């Protein structure tokens, strides 16, 4: 038998013709075995970390606030089940700088059924039976027979009660601010602190730590939550409409790809044009409105975003942005019209491929399910790791004490030498920690959890890319479609990927995960150094963050094309990445223009779907259409459901179009391979479709007559 002609060229050389090549190779072996073994070991280690965290952790520490004894407020099945709120004896002590170091307020904290709702001092309540009965709800046990002085010296009761409201299951003073800027609590600007002093309500602000901001934020959050409760079913309807439009768009591309692309381009231009017209009309209509000429800089940040819509400068900014986008799209259409024709041919071919592999449209659901499992495992493990510390108690005191902030045991503290030397000290719960080997390396386990999260998430994404690539490559290289294709391309490709190329998937995702974890560390360092004024350090960090961002994008591009080559030829990751890179470099012009034009056209499709659903949501929720005035819910911020629908629509459209994008990328690489392998002769015919041959002005020569 004659020696087979090799079809792998040297670096940078086109591949040679191989008459035995019929698409994705089935007789293949396992690749990157070492990385596969490493990945399996790391996964087993990840499971071990999860089991260890689940055995040591206690998520109740996150769910429930903890009192000074380390007990959980509101925990079901305990005596504190009916006391879900945490009450501070003296909230003003929380203004101490030690709070930032200890993460614990140096005052007694206890679980209560509800927060106090009136001003009351212990001295005053002690003289009235009904008031003292109410006051006992915020005191410890053992008050019988004690005087006020004995109660206060023993720390059994707070010296005073102030009207409070629950926030994050903790009682904070019910602070308010009058028009003149005066801080009040319970409608009073002054209060008795229980020690005979009349103090201003503003003294409570430091203890609550910017309480006015917290109150504003709480109000905004509550309004947003109310908006969701009023509009959630309309949001679901909007997302269902987005899904149906996306599915309809994909189906129409199957039969009317060329017309749909041009219609899509025209509609995007018209939608943007309508946006410019609408913004211009709003800009003109605000000309005579008082206060509309205020600049955005003077207005500052407002929690009510509808205020910005009454400013002319806002609509002018919208007009400028939309006009720039419109001009860019039109210029791209003018100068890249020939490339767009080839891109349309690729999209038509992708439509035909998806028509033969319809199950590919539902594969993102499988990827989404796997990613959900990975995210859930990471989140649960992180919570259990962060709550696997032991309660640490420390000495808190108001006067000078040698034992201040030292670790203590609450069970025998009253009879200890610490209490004897510091009579006014208390042994209070400080934080969760520990001195065991497990607790010392807890931060390392958290880092391992984050790293494996990135690795597993990237592995799942890579598996989806290789599976789709193998299915679509089997379509392209099939000489007679669908006879030469597997019966179930998706399942066949998924089986090959897991059986032979788990190592290659792990290798590529490992490289990407290392870069991502470095980016996370850079962000962490940047966050820690925010208070510094060293411009050189800031510049260096900014450069590193930018470089690693670019490196991550480049690695994602290389990985994506490497997985396509692995799916086709069954080679290891490095060889496939090298072959894909040089193949793309030999066709740099086509890659830079054709592939990106195709991505741009698919992006326009997503933009069109999001634009249509977004415009419908805007007119519906804003009540600007009379037909919907009585149907639309009454909302505090109508932009809340609009943004939710827009973001959800984009994610849905992205899920459908990601399959299309992978199909186009796979066919594009196969298309380049086809051009290098074959020349259109009877011995080496092109396997691309007649449409692509026509656009490229190429054709297959007929077989010579015998």
């Amino acid at each position: 038998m004659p020696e087979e002609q090799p079809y792998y060229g040297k670096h940078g050389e086109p591949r040679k013709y191989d008459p035995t090549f019929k698409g994705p190779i089935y007789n293949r072996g396992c690749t990157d075995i070492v990385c596969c073994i490493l990945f399996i070991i790391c996964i087993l280690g990840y499971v071990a970390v999860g089991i260890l965290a689940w055995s040591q952790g206690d998520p109740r520490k996150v769910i429930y606030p903890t009192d000074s004894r380390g007990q959980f407020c509101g925990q079901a099945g305990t005596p504190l089940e009916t006391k879900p709120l945490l009450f501070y004896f003296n909230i003003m002590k929380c203004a101490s700088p030690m709070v930032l170091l200890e993460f614990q307020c140096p005052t007694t904290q206890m679980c209560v059924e509800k927060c106090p709702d009136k001003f009351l001092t212990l001295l005053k309540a002690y003289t009235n039976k009904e008031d003292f009965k109410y006051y006992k709800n915020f005191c410890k046990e053992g008050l019988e027979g004690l005087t006020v002085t004995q109660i206060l010296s023993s720390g059994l009761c707070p010296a005073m009660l102030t009207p409070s409201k629950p926030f994050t299951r903790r009682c904070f003073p019910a602070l308010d601010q009058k028009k003149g800027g005066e801080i009040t609590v319970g409608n009073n600007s002054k209060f008795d602190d229980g020690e005979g002093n009349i103090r201003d309500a503003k003294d409570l602000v430091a203890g609550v730590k910017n309480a006015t901001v917290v109150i504003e934020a709480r109000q905004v959050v509550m309004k947003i939550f109310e908006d969701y409760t009023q509009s959630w079913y309309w949001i679901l309807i909007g997302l269902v409409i987005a899904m149906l439009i996306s599915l309809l768009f994909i189906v129409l591309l199957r039969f009317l790809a060329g017309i749909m692309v041009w219609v899509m381009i025209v509609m995007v231009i018209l939608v943007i044009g309508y946006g410019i017209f609408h913004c211009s009309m709003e800009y003109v209509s605000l000309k005579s409105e008082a206060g509309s000429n205020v600049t955005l800089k003077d207005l500052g940040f407002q929690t009510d975003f509808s205020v910005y819509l009454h400013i002319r400068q806002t609509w002018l900014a919208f007009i400028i942005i939309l006009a720039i986008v419109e001009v860019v799209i039109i210029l791209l259409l003018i100068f890249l019209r020939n490339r767009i024709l080839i891109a349309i041919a690729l999209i038509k071919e992708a439509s035909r491929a998806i028509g033969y592999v319809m199950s590919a449209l539902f594969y993102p659901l499988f990827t989404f399910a796997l990613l959900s499992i990975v995210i859930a495992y990471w989140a649960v493990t992180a919570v259990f790791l962060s709550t696997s510390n032991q309660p640490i108690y420390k000495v808190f005191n108001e006067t000078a004490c040698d034992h201040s902030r030292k670790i203590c045991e609450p069970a025998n503290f009253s009879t200890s030498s610490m209490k004897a030397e510091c009579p006014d000290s208390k042994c209070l719960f400080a934080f969760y920690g520990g001195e065991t080997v497990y607790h010392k390396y807890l931060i390392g386990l958290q880092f391992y959890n984050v790293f494996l999260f990135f690795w597993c998430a990237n592995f799942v994404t890579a598996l989806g890319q290789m599976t789709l690539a193998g299915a679509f490559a089997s379509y392209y290289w099939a000489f007679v479609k669908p006879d030469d294709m597997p019966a179930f391309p998706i399942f066949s490709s998924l089986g090959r990927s897991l059986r032979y190329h788990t190592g290659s998937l792990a290798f590529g995702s490992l490289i990407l995960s290392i870069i991502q974890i470095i980016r996370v560390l850079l962000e962490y360092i940047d966050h820690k150094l925010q208070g510094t004024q060293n411009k050189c350090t800031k510049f260096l960090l900014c450069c590193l963050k930018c470089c690693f961002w670019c490196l991550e994008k480049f690695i994602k591009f290389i990985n994506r094309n490497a997985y396509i080559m692995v799916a086709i030829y069954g080679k290891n990751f490095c060889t496939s990445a090298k072959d894909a890179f040089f193949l793309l470099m030999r066709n740099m012009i086509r890659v830079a223009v054709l592939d990106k034009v195709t991505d741009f056209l698919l992006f326009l499709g997503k933009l069109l779907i999001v634009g249509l659903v977004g415009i419908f949501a805007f007119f519906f929720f804003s009540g600007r259409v009379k037909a919907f005035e009585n149907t639309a819910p009454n909302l505090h911020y109508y932009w809340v459901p609009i943004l939710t629908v827009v973001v959800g629509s984009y994610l849905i459209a992205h899920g459908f179009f990601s399959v299309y994008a992978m199909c186009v990328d796979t066919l594009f690489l196969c298309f380049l391979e086809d051009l290098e392998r074959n020349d259109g002769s009877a011995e080496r015919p092109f396997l691309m479709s007649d449409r692509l041959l026509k656009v490229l002005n190429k054709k297959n020569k007929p077989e010579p007559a015998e």
Side-chain angles (χ1 to χ4, degrees):
M1 293 179 63
E3 185 178 353
E4 290 188 0
Q5 189 175 6
Y7 57 92
Y8 280 97
K10 296 180 180 179
H11 304 343
E13 292 183 1
R15 298 180 187 275
K16 297 180 181 180
Y17 175 67
D18 175 29
T20 64
F21 182 74
K22 301 294 183 182
I25 296 173
Y26 293 94
N27 295 324
R28 56 179 74 198
C30 296
T31 56
D32 299 299
I33 299 175
V34 174
C35 202
C36 178
I37 295 173
L38 177 64
F39 182 65
I40 293 173
I41 293 174
C42 289
I43 290 295
L44 293 176
Y46 197 22
V47 173
V49 169
I51 294 173
L52 182 63
W54 299 338
S55 63
Q56 299 289 329
D58 189 353
R60 295 176 301 175
K61 299 171 184 176
V62 176
I63 301 172
Y64 305 104
T66 308
D67 67 5
S68 297
R69 299 178 180 177
Q71 298 173 317
F72 303 118
C73 300
Q75 182 186 352
T78 67
L80 299 178
E81 182 177 2
T82 59
K83 299 180 178 182
L85 304 175
L86 187 68
F87 171 71
Y88 298 90
F89 271 29
N90 190 350
I91 190 68
M92 288 184 288
K93 289 185 179 180
C94 298
S96 168
M98 291 305 297
V99 175
L100 300 176
L101 300 176
E102 301 287 352
F103 298 101
Q104 183 71 3
C105 185
T107 185
T108 302
Q109 301 160 42
M110 65 177 296
C111 302
V112 296
E113 186 176 348
K114 61 181 181 178
C115 298
D117 55 7
K118 58 183 176 181
F119 276 114
L120 200 60
T121 62
L122 177 61
L123 189 62
K124 183 179 179 181
Y126 195 78
T127 60
N128 185 292
K129 188 175 182 180
E130 290 298 324
D131 287 344
F132 193 55
K133 182 179 179 182
Y134 173 79
Y135 209 97
K136 285 182 178 179
N137 293 320
F138 307 97
C139 297
K140 297 180 182 179
E141 297 177 353
L143 301 179
E144 290 74 12
L146 299 179
T147 64
V148 173
T149 304
Q150 291 173 328
I151 292 173
L152 289 176
S153 62
S154 302
L156 298 178
C157 287
M160 64 170 181
L161 299 179
T162 58
S164 304
K165 292 182 179 179
F167 180 64
T168 64
R169 294 194 178 191
R170 289 162 175 83
C171 294
F172 289 111
L175 296 174
D176 200 0
Q177 190 173 15
K178 293 184 177 180
K179 291 184 178 179
E182 185 181 20
I183 301 295
T184 62
V185 55
N187 296 322
N188 296 315
S189 60
K190 297 183 181 297
F191 65 96
D192 188 340
D193 66 358
E195 298 177 359
N197 302 316
I198 303 299
R199 306 183 64 167
D200 291 330
K202 63 182 181 181
D203 294 341
L204 294 168
V205 174
V208 182
K209 196 179 182 181
N210 297 324
T212 53
V213 177
V214 172
I215 291 170
E216 265 191 38
R218 179 177 62 184
Q219 290 173 347
V220 172
V221 171
M222 289 303 296
K223 288 180 179 179
I224 291 175
F225 179 75
E226 289 175 7
D227 287 345
Y228 275 123
T229 59
Q230 293 291 326
S231 60
W232 65 269
Y233 47 91
W234 293 110
I235 292 174
L236 286 179
I237 291 173
L239 297 179
V240 170
I241 292 174
M243 185 182 68
L244 294 176
I245 293 176
S246 300
L247 188 60
L248 177 64
F249 200 88
I250 295 293
V251 173
L252 289 177
L253 278 176
R254 168 74 177 90
F255 302 101
L256 304 169
I259 297 174
M260 285 294 297
V261 168
W262 288 113
V263 169
M264 174 180 62
I265 293 172
V266 172
M267 287 190 68
V268 168
I269 294 174
L270 291 176
V271 167
I272 296 175
Y274 174 78
I276 296 173
F277 172 76
H278 178 74
C279 294
S280 302
M281 295 298 293
E282 291 286 347
Y283 179 79
V284 173
S285 65
L286 289 172
K287 186 175 182 180
S288 58
E289 187 174 316
S292 62
N293 291 320
V294 178
T295 63
L296 294 173
K297 183 178 180 181
D298 295 335
L299 185 62
F301 177 76
Q302 301 291 326
T303 55
D304 186 1
F305 287 91
S306 62
V307 174
Y308 295 106
L309 300 180
H310 296 282
I311 305 301
R312 296 186 75 199
Q313 200 176 78
T314 303
W315 295 103
L316 180 62
F318 288 158
I319 293 171
I320 294 172
I321 294 171
L322 291 175
I324 292 173
V325 173
E326 185 92 325
V327 170
V328 169
I329 292 175
I330 292 174
L331 289 177
L332 287 174
L333 292 176
I334 293 173
F335 292 104
L336 299 178
R337 58 188 182 277
N338 291 329
R339 297 292 180 183
I340 290 175
L341 293 175
I342 302 178
I344 290 174
L346 267 178
I347 291 178
K348 287 182 178 179
E349 195 67 14
S351 301
R352 291 187 62 201
I354 291 178
Y356 285 109
V357 193
M358 285 297 291
S359 56
L361 288 176
F362 302 98
Y363 188 84
L365 297 176
F366 178 69
T367 301
F368 177 77
L370 291 180
L371 284 175
S372 299
I373 294 173
V374 171
I375 294 171
Y377 186 88
W378 163 76
V380 171
T381 304
V383 169
F384 274 87
L385 282 174
S386 61
T387 59
S388 58
N389 288 312
Q390 300 170 347
I392 301 297
Y393 299 87
K394 289 193 174 184
V395 176
F396 291 92
N397 60 289
E398 297 182 4
T399 60
C401 177
D402 294 336
H403 302 291
S404 179
R405 302 303 186 273
K406 288 186 178 180
I407 296 176
C408 59
E409 288 293 335
N412 57 4
F413 181 73
S414 59
T415 59
S416 67
S417 59
M418 294 182 181
K419 182 68 174 177
E421 295 177 18
C422 306
D424 64 338
S425 63
K426 301 173 185 176
C427 184
L428 302 178
F429 168 77
F431 57 87
Y432 289 103
E435 299 296 330
T436 65
V437 176
Y438 170 75
H439 295 105
K440 287 181 180 179
Y441 291 99
L442 199 57
I443 186 67
L445 295 177
Q446 285 282 23
F447 179 83
Y448 185 79
N449 183 36
V450 173
F451 180 72
L452 262 292
F453 164 70
F454 281 126
W455 197 357
C456 292
N458 290 324
F459 179 87
V460 170
T461 304
L463 176 63
Q465 292 175 346
M466 186 179 290
T467 300
L468 292 174
F472 294 130
S474 65
Y475 160 82
Y476 185 94
W477 295 108
F479 194 77
V480 179
K481 303 175 179 62
D483 296 343
D484 292 342
M485 293 173 59
F488 303 99
I490 286 290
F491 294 105
S492 176
S493 180
L494 178 62
R496 286 199 307 270
S497 301
L498 289 175
R499 181 179 179 183
Y500 298 109
H501 306 303
T502 298
S504 297
L505 293 169
F507 193 5
S509 53
L510 173 63
I511 297 172
L512 184 58
S513 301
I514 291 173
I515 296 171
Q516 289 173 336
I517 203 70
I518 292 174
R519 289 192 64 201
V520 170
L521 292 175
L522 288 175
E523 290 291 343
Y524 175 78
I525 295 172
D526 186 34
H527 177 73
K528 287 294 184 182
L529 298 178
Q530 277 184 353
T532 63
Q533 300 298 322
N534 192 327
K535 294 184 178 180
C536 181
T537 304
K538 289 183 178 180
F539 175 76
L540 181 62
L541 273 175
C542 185
C543 291
L544 286 173
K545 287 162 65 176
C546 180
C547 290
F548 276 96
W549 179 84
C550 295
L551 181 60
E552 181 182 355
K553 295 297 180 184
F554 176 74
I555 293 299
K556 283 183 177 180
F557 174 77
I558 291 296
N559 282 5
R560 186 180 180 92
N561 290 283
Y563 296 143
I564 296 174
M565 299 300 277
V566 172
I568 297 173
Y569 298 109
K571 299 297 180 181
N572 61 51
F573 178 81
C574 291
T575 302
S576 299
K578 175 197 68 179
D579 291 339
F581 180 76
F582 284 116
L583 176 63
L584 295 173
M585 288 302 100
R586 291 194 297 269
N587 298 272
M588 191 179 300
I589 302 299
R590 285 194 177 102
V591 173
V593 179
L594 181 61
D595 193 37
K596 295 309 164 189
V597 166
T598 307
D599 290 342
F600 177 69
L601 292 177
L602 293 177
F603 171 74
L604 289 183
K606 288 187 274 189
L607 192 65
L608 176 62
I609 293 170
V610 173
L612 290 174
V613 178
I615 289 174
F616 173 78
F618 173 77
F619 283 112
F620 178 80
F621 289 110
S622 64
R624 305 224 173 173
V625 179
K626 292 184 178 180
F628 298 140
E629 280 183 346
N630 298 326
T631 307
N634 294 321
L635 305 172
H636 298 288
Y637 308 116
Y638 64 80
W639 51 265
V640 170
I642 293 174
L643 284 179
T644 305
V645 169
V646 167
V647 173
S649 299
Y650 178 81
L651 294 176
I652 290 171
H654 178 73
F656 281 99
F657 279 91
S658 63
V659 175
Y660 235 91
M662 195 65 207
C663 182
V664 169
D665 288 346
T666 303
L667 297 182
F668 182 63
L669 271 184
C670 295
F671 160 75
L672 297 178
E673 284 277 295
D674 197 6
L675 288 176
E676 290 191 353
R677 286 176 172 277
N678 306 311
D679 58 7
S681 63
E683 294 79 15
R684 298 164 58 182
F686 291 116
L687 294 180
M688 67 185 73
S689 67
D690 294 336
R691 296 187 185 91
L692 281 173
L693 288 173
K694 185 177 180 180
V695 172
L696 294 170
N697 291 322
K698 295 181 180 294
K699 60 181 180 179
N700 284 322
K701 299 175 184 177
E703 294 185 8
E706 295 182 0

